[in-house]
Structures are given as structure tokens and as C-alpha cells.
Amino acid sequence: MKKNAIKARLLSAPYLVWAAIFVVAPMGMVVYYAFTDRSGAFTLDNVLSLSAYGPALWRSVSYAAVATLFCLLIAYPLAYIMYRSSASAQRLLMMLCMLPMWMNFLIRTYSWIAILAKTGLLNQIFNAFGVGPFRFINTPAAVILGMVYNFLPYMIMPIYSVMSKLNYNLIEAAEDLGCNGGQVLRRVILPLTMPGVLSGITMVFVPSVSTFYISQKLGGGKFFLIGDSIEMQFQSAYNYNLGAALSLVLMLMIVVCMIVMNHFAADEEAMLP
């Protein structure tokens, strides 16, 4: 028994070293820079100056929340369609969902400029019908659209993964007991797939609230998000201390969100048969 425990520790040692170097150490550096000035002296000035970035933080949270909601509304029916499809159709739909992820994130985002621009594909279609042009680019809707497009697979995959493990006998039993389609969805499928929904919400909200490239390209830099603030401090202002303080606040907010989501996910899993 003792020999097995030693072997387990030796096998886990490389992963612990990797986590210490690439996870714990960077987070420690963020905390250090957040509470020091350029000379390395302890200070709270960086934290106290964060109130000026409240609008950017609120905008980031609101955009991310709207994008997450749209992803959920789109992903859940798609995941259900995949679940009810044949094995070959499931593989095809899975490939179509993952296909955009094979391209670079920047290219995927930049391609929407060609679609939403004043002379882009969408306005060209409207012009063919004698209407427009409309302003799609450099709007909050364009930023949210970019978030939804880029992070939608992160919502589909967890929901589909949970749905694929559902016991179809439970659905048939509910139908035999008189439940219609809506009741089966509300009382059987939705409660059983809630862990996947919560996981998808977390996986979409976290990158959405911290993104910055999408807002720069599709928002034209007019809608300053917290990610833009952090990027500016590190790349333009060279104020690593303030940038670290902003990053620390964002990390804490994300950790709180993940703790809340995991708490609800644990409650839902405990209710599963």
C-alpha cells in the first residue's frame, strides 16, 4: 500500500511541477505587481484607482452575459437535435460545430469585418433588394455577435456531452405517463442536462468577459472592455502594476463565478437518479 502511494506521488510530480511553474507562479506575480509600485514598494494605489474602470468592467460583464444567453438559446436546441440524430448525422454536426475552431481566433474575428462592414457582404445583400446600407460594424451588437460566434462551440459541447448520456427510457416513461413534448423537455430533459448547461455557461462567460480583440475589431475601439484596459496597461502605458491589479480583479470575479456555477452544478448532480 505504501509502495503504491509512493508510486502515485512520483507519477503526479511532473504535473505538480508544471502547475507550480505555469499556474501558481504567474498568479503570484500578478498579486505581487498589483500591490507594488514601479520601484517594488508596497502600495494600495493600484487597487484604489480601479474605481475609474468600473464602467469598463460593467460593460464587459453585461456584454458577456448577453452573449452567454444567446449562446445558450442557440446551443441547447442544436445539442438536442444532435442528440436525436443518427450516429452518422451526429458526427457530421459535430464536425460542423468544431470546423470554425480549426481556424485562428484572430482570422475568425477579422472575417466578420468583411461581412458587417458598410460595403460588406450583408449590406451588399440588402442593397440588392434596394434597402440599406445599414450600420452593423462598430456597434455593441457586432461585439456581442463576435463573442457568440467565437464561443458558441464551448456551449454546445458540454450540453451535448450530457445529453448523449441520457437514458432514453426516462423520456419514454414520461411520455407514457402523459407528458407532452414541452413537459418532457421542462421536467425531464432540462433538469438532467443542467450540469452541462452550467458548465457551458461558465466556459462561455469566462472568455467573453475577459476578451479584448473582438471589441477592438468589431467595435472599432469605441466600447472599452476590461480586457482592453488590461491590454492597454501592458502594451501601451507599460504600467504593469495597474494592469496586474485589473487582472487580479478580473481573476477574482471569474473565480467567484466558477464557484457559484460549480455549487449549482453539484446540487443538480446530487438530484440526478
Side-chain angles (χ1 to χ4, degrees):
M1 187 73 178
K2 186 176 181 180
K3 192 174 182 180
N4 291 335
I6 295 174
K7 186 184 293 186
R9 290 181 180 179
L10 290 175
L11 291 174
S12 62
Y15 302 99
L16 295 176
V17 172
W18 185 92
I21 295 175
F22 296 104
V23 178
V24 178
M27 292 181 65
M29 293 178 64
V30 169
V31 174
Y32 168 76
Y33 277 102
F35 291 98
T36 57
D37 56 20
R38 294 178 184 268
S39 64
F42 175 80
T43 181
L44 293 176
D45 291 343
N46 300 317
V47 178
L48 295 176
S49 62
L50 294 179
S51 58
Y53 295 90
L57 181 60
W58 168 248
R59 191 178 299 113
S60 300
V61 172
S62 59
Y63 283 17
V66 173
T68 302
L69 177 61
F70 275 107
C71 282
L72 178 60
L73 295 177
I74 297 171
Y76 202 92
L78 286 176
Y80 185 73
I81 292 171
M82 292 171 63
Y83 163 65
R84 297 300 298 267
S85 302
S86 62
S88 58
Q90 286 185 23
R91 289 191 293 269
L92 176 61
L93 292 172
M94 178 78 70
M95 185 190 70
L96 293 176
C97 288
M98 299 304 297
L99 190 61
M101 307 300 292
W102 297 354
M103 293 185 296
N104 182 273
F105 176 85
L106 304 182
I107 296 176
R108 295 201 309 268
T109 304
Y110 206 82
S111 64
W112 275 100
I113 298 178
I115 299 174
L116 301 177
K118 187 175 181 180
T119 57
L121 178 62
L122 204 55
N123 270 317
Q124 289 181 17
I125 295 175
F126 282 115
N127 289 336
F129 292 95
V131 294
F134 298 102
R135 185 184 173 216
F136 298 112
I137 200 73
N138 299 338
T139 62
V143 176
I144 294 173
L145 174 63
M147 293 179 181
V148 172
Y149 173 74
N150 280 291
F151 304 127
L152 181 61
Y154 299 139
M155 182 71 77
I156 296 175
M157 292 300 105
I159 297 176
Y160 169 72
S161 177
V162 174
M163 280 187 178
S164 63
K165 300 173 184 176
L166 286 180
N167 186 349
Y168 194 72
N169 292 331
L170 296 174
I171 299 176
E172 291 181 335
E175 293 174 343
D176 291 340
L177 291 172
C179 289
N180 55 35
Q183 291 173 327
V184 170
L185 177 63
R186 188 176 69 256
R187 297 183 178 181
V188 180
I189 298 177
L190 186 58
L192 292 176
T193 57
M194 191 55 64
V197 171
L198 294 175
S199 178
I201 290 173
T202 303
M203 294 179 66
V204 172
F205 181 81
V206 169
S208 296
V209 77
S210 58
T211 189
F212 61 92
Y213 188 81
I214 295 175
S215 59
Q216 291 178 2
K217 295 303 177 183
L218 300 183
K222 298 179 180 180
F223 309 99
F224 217 58
L225 304 184
I226 193 65
D228 297 309
S229 304
I230 296 172
E231 192 263 350
M232 182 186 70
Q233 296 301 326
F234 280 99
Q235 297 293 333
S236 302
Y238 300 106
N239 191 344
Y240 302 145
N241 304 95
L242 181 55
L246 290 168
S247 301
L248 182 61
V249 170
L250 188 59
M251 282 196 305
L252 292 175
M253 185 181 67
I254 291 173
V255 168
V256 170
C257 291
M258 294 183 68
I259 291 174
V260 172
M261 289 298 177
N262 289 336
H263 174 74
F264 284 110
D267 289 344
E268 292 293 338
E269 288 177 353
M271 295 173 59
L272 294 180

